[in-house]
C-alpha cells in the first residue's frame, strides 16, 4: 500500500509543487484523490499509468483540485480505454462531468460513472471501504477516509512448512482459496492467523480546522491534512477556509493518528522549515509532503 | 521579439515535452498560441507571468491544445486581473468559453472577449496583424501568421550625433514623436531611415501538409510546423491529419521561409534524431523544438 504525492501546491503551482493530487496504489488499483491540472504528466513522471486509474475521489470543485480530470479522461479515451471510470464528488458532480464530456472534440470510449457523495460510506469494496465527511471550506468540501477491512494474518512459515511455494498460491490462500501441493490439499485455515485491524488513511481536502475532522480521523495510520499557511497567517487561514500547520497538527494529536502529512502548501513558502517546525511542536510524527514523495503505508500492528 | 516554446508534445505529454503552447513576447505583450494542460506551470518555469498574457490564439479544439486555458483563467482571476482577455479560435469558441466559465467555482474578475475566426485578417493592431488560414486536420484547424508592419529603420548614429541619449527618447523617436535635447527639437524624420519589411511568423497548429500552407507561409521568417511523425509513418500521418518531418520541410522549402521549427512530436520518438535528419534532407534551416527553447526572431534585412 503506497501513497504517491503527485501535487502538493495550493491554488498556484510552483517550479517544485504541482496542483493537488494523491495516488493510492493498493488493492490492485490506482485510486486518485483530487486531480489538479497537470496530474497526468505527474503520473508519467511517477511511472504510474493514468490508464490504470479505477476511481477518482474529488474533495471539492476548486480548479486546483479538478482541472486535471479532463486531460486524464481524454488521454484514457485516446488510448482506447473501455473499462468504466468511477468519479466520486460533492453535489455538482453531474454538472462537472457534463462540462468534461463537452470540452473540445474527443470520442469517449468508456463510461464515466458519477457518484455524488454525502456524509458516510460512499464505497464498500471487498477489501476496503471509503467514507467521507463534510468539512468547513469556502465551498462544499468532503474529507475522505480509506478503511482497509480486518483481514487474517498470513502465516508464511506455516505455508512454507506445508510445501507451498511463494507466488500465486500464497495469494490464493490469503484470499481464502485452497491450493494443491503434490497430492495434498492445503486449506486457508491452515495458514491464516487471527484477524488484524486494517489500515486507515484520511485526506482532508481543503478545510479550516474543524471538530468533525477529529472524530473522522480517529486512530488513522496516516492523516493527510492541508496546511496552506504557517502560523503567521492564522486569521487569513481561518477566513479563507484553510488551516495552518499547527492547526492541522492539533487535529492529528486529538485524533490520535499515527502520522501526519501536511500538503497544499502556499507558494509564499520557499521551503518547508517553518511549516514543519510549527507542526512538530504540536505533533511529533509530522512531515511536509513533497511532489513525487512515496509513502509506504505500513501496518501499526504486527 | 522572442518565441518561447512552452510545450512541444503531441496528444500525450512525456517527461520532457508538455502539451502544445507557444508564447510570443513582443510589442510589449505576451501572446499565447495554443494552451495545453500545464501551460501555466510551464510559464512559471519560463519566468513568464500568466497575468501578462494579452491574447490567446487557439488553432483547434483538441484537448492537447486547449486544456490549459481554464487554469490560466482561474489563476488570473485568483490574482485579481481586471484587464480583458482576448481569445481567438475557430467556430465552437463560444461553447468552449461557456464551459470554462462554469468549470468549478471561481469568481471571474475580468472580461473574456471571444473572437471567432475565419480565413483572413483576425486582428489589426498598430504594430502588427494576425491572419489565419484553414488547414486540413481531423477537426477544423486554423494556422496563424503574425505579421509585423513595415516600420522605418532607426538610425541610432544620427540620434547620438544630435545628442539624444539612449533610453525613453529613443523609443519616442521610433514611435514618431519629437524630443527635446536642451533647447533643440529633434524630429523623427531626422533619425528614421527607410521603411523595412516587418517580421513574419507562422504557426500551423495540427495539419496534414496542404497547398494553402505554402501560400500562407510564403517568405516567413519562421514557420513553426507540426511534425507529429517521422517518415516511417507517412500513411498514418496523412490519415490522422498530421505531418511528418519531410512533409513539413517540403512546405518550408516551397514557401521559401527562412527557418523551420518542428513541433508536436509524438511520444514514440525518444530523441529528435530521425525527425531532424529527415527535415534537414529537404530543408536546410530546420530545427526540432524543445520545451523551454527560446528563439529570438531576428530581422532578415539589416
Amino acid at each position: 500500500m503506497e501513497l504517491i504525492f503527485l501535487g502538493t501546491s495550493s491554488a498556484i503551482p510552483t517550479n517544485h509543487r504541482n496542483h493537488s493530487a494523491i495516488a493510492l496504489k493498493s488493492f490492485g488499483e490506482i485510486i486518485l484523490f483530487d486531480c489538479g491540472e497537470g496530474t497526468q504528466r505527474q503520473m508519467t513522471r511517477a511511472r504510474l499509468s493514468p490508464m490504470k486509474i479505477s476511481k477518482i475521489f474529488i474533495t471539492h470543485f476548486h480548479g486546483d483540485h479538478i482541472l486535471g480530470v479532463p486531460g486524464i479522461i481524454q488521454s484514457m479515451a485516446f488510448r482506447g480505454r473501455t473499462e468504466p471510470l468511477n468519479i466520486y464528488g460533492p453535489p455538482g458532480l453531474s454538472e462537472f462531468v457534463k462540462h468534461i464530456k463537452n470540452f473540445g472534440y474527443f470520442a469517449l470510449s468508456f463510461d464515466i460513472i458519477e457518484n455524488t457523495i454525502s456524509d458516510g460510506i460512499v464505497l464498500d469494496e471487498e477489501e476496503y471501504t471509503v467514507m467521507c465527511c463534510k468539512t468547513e471550506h469556502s465551498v462544499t468540501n468532503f474529507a475522505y477516509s480509506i478503511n482497509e477491512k480486518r483481514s487474517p494474518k498470513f502465516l508464511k512459515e506455516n505455508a512454507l512448512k506445508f510445501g507451498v511455494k511463494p507466488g500465486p498460491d500464497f495469494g490464493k490462500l490469503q484470499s481464502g482459496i485452497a491450493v494443491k501441493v503434490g497430492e495434498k490439499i492445503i486449506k486457508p485455515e491452515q495458514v491464516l492467523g487471527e484477524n488484524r485491524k486494517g489500515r486507515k488513511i484520511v485526506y482532508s481536502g481543503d478545510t479550516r480546522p474543524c471538530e468533525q475532522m477529529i472524530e473522522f480521523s480517529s486512530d488513522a495510520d496516516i492523516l493527510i491534512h492541508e496546511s496552506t499557511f504557517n502560523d503567521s497567517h492564522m486569521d487569513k487561514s481561518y477566513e479563507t477556509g484553510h488551516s495552518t500547520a499547527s492547526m492541522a497538527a492539533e487535529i492529528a494529536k486529538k485524533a490520535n493518528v499515527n502520522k501526519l502529512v501536511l500538503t497544499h502548501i502556499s507558494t509564499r513558502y520557499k521551503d518547508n522549515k517553518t511549516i514543519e517546525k510549527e507542526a512538530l511542536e504540536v505533533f511529533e510524527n509530522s512531515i511536509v509532503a513533497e511532489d513525487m514523495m512515496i509513502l509506504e503505508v505500513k501496518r501499526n500492528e504486527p
Side-chain angles (χ1 to χ4, degrees), chain A:
Chain A
M1 190 181 270
E2 272 180 0
L3 286 164
I4 303 102
F5 292 81
L6 299 168
T8 61
S9 80
S10 59
I12 306 284
T14 69
N15 282 350
H16 302 294
R17 296 188 187 275
N18 201 55
H19 297 286
S20 290
I22 302 165
L24 173 67
K25 210 171 148 189
S26 191
F27 316 115
E29 304 175 62
I30 294 177
I31 301 173
L32 271 195
F33 292 89
D34 284 335
C35 181
E37 182 178 352
T39 297
Q40 64 170 315
R41 194 173 185 210
Q42 294 293 90
M43 291 189 73
T44 303
R45 290 197 168 118
R47 295 176 176 273
L48 295 171
S49 169
M51 287 294 274
K52 291 190 181 145
I53 297 166
S54 55
K55 299 163 186 114
I56 302 178
F57 291 89
I58 292 165
T59 57
H60 67 295
F61 293 113
H62 271 155
D64 55 328
H65 295 252
I66 56 172
L67 290 180
V69 181
I72 293 244
I73 285 175
Q74 293 198 18
S75 288
M76 286 171 170
F78 182 81
R79 286 179 160 156
R81 176 179 176 126
T82 53
E83 310 97 277
L85 175 71
N86 272 281
I87 304 190
Y88 299 78
L93 182 66
S94 291
E95 189 73 3
F96 174 67
V97 172
K98 194 189 82 190
H99 291 303
I100 288 178
K101 286 181 176 171
N102 291 291
F103 210 71
Y105 302 112
F106 72 106
L108 193 60
S109 56
F110 57 93
D111 288 333
I112 298 175
I113 302 172
E114 298 162 20
N115 304 273
T116 301
I117 60 172
S118 56
D119 273 348
I121 294 182
V122 295
L123 175 68
D124 188 354
E125 293 278 37
E126 199 181 320
E127 293 178 84
Y128 65 97
T129 60
V130 178
M131 298 182 70
C132 74
C133 165
K134 195 170 170 186
T135 71
E136 294 172 21
H137 187 45
S138 55
V139 302
T140 303
N141 177 87
F142 282 92
Y144 288 101
S145 70
I146 308 97
N147 310 280
E148 190 184 26
K149 291 185 178 174
R150 292 184 75 83
S151 62
K153 186 174 181 183
F154 181 64
L155 306 171
K156 193 176 161 187
E157 309 72 33
N158 287 20
L160 291 170
K161 208 171 66 188
F162 290 127
V164 184
K165 295 219 170 86
D169 280 352
F170 270 33
K172 281 183 185 165
L173 287 165
Q174 280 175 286
S175 309
I177 302 163
V179 302
K180 264 184 132 182
V181 175
E183 293 306 307
K184 270 195 303 185
I185 288 176
I186 311 299
K187 291 181 184 164
E189 53 264 37
Q190 293 175 274
V191 297
L192 294 178
E194 283 188 18
N195 268 357
R196 294 180 302 174
K197 183 173 164 283
R199 284 160 284 194
K200 176 178 175 179
I201 302 164
V202 176
Y203 168 50
S204 67
D206 284 6
T207 187
R208 69 167 66 97
C210 54
E211 282 297 316
Q212 60 269 41
M213 272 302 287
I214 300 171
E215 167 78 23
F216 189 66
S217 313
S218 67
D219 300 322
D221 294 275
I222 292 178
L223 168 60
I224 305 161
H225 200 289
E226 76 123 295
S227 168
T228 309
F229 298 105
N230 69 19
D231 288 347
S232 64
H233 291 92
M234 285 229 170
D235 291 347
K236 187 179 171 75
S237 145
Y238 207 83
E239 280 159 24
T240 55
H242 288 295
S243 303
T244 67
S246 72
M247 290 172 183
E250 280 291 343
I251 300 285
K253 189 175 161 186
K254 288 177 181 162
N256 188 38
V257 308
N258 184 47
K259 190 185 193 82
L260 170 67
V261 183
L262 299 172
T263 189
H264 201 266
I265 314 295
S266 164
T267 50
R268 71 192 74 204
Y269 308 115
K270 301 304 168 213
D271 62 52
N272 303 338
K273 282 181 200 156
T274 319
I275 288 199
E276 192 174 63
K277 184 171 163 282
E278 288 172 359
L280 286 171
E281 277 167 13
V282 178
F283 185 75
E284 204 186 14
N285 200 2
S286 303
I287 57 168
V288 182
E290 301 280 357
D291 278 23
M292 298 299 142
M293 183 176 92
I294 298 172
L295 202 61
E296 201 193 325
V297 188
K298 290 183 184 152
R299 284 178 190 278
N300 273 327
E301 293 172 16

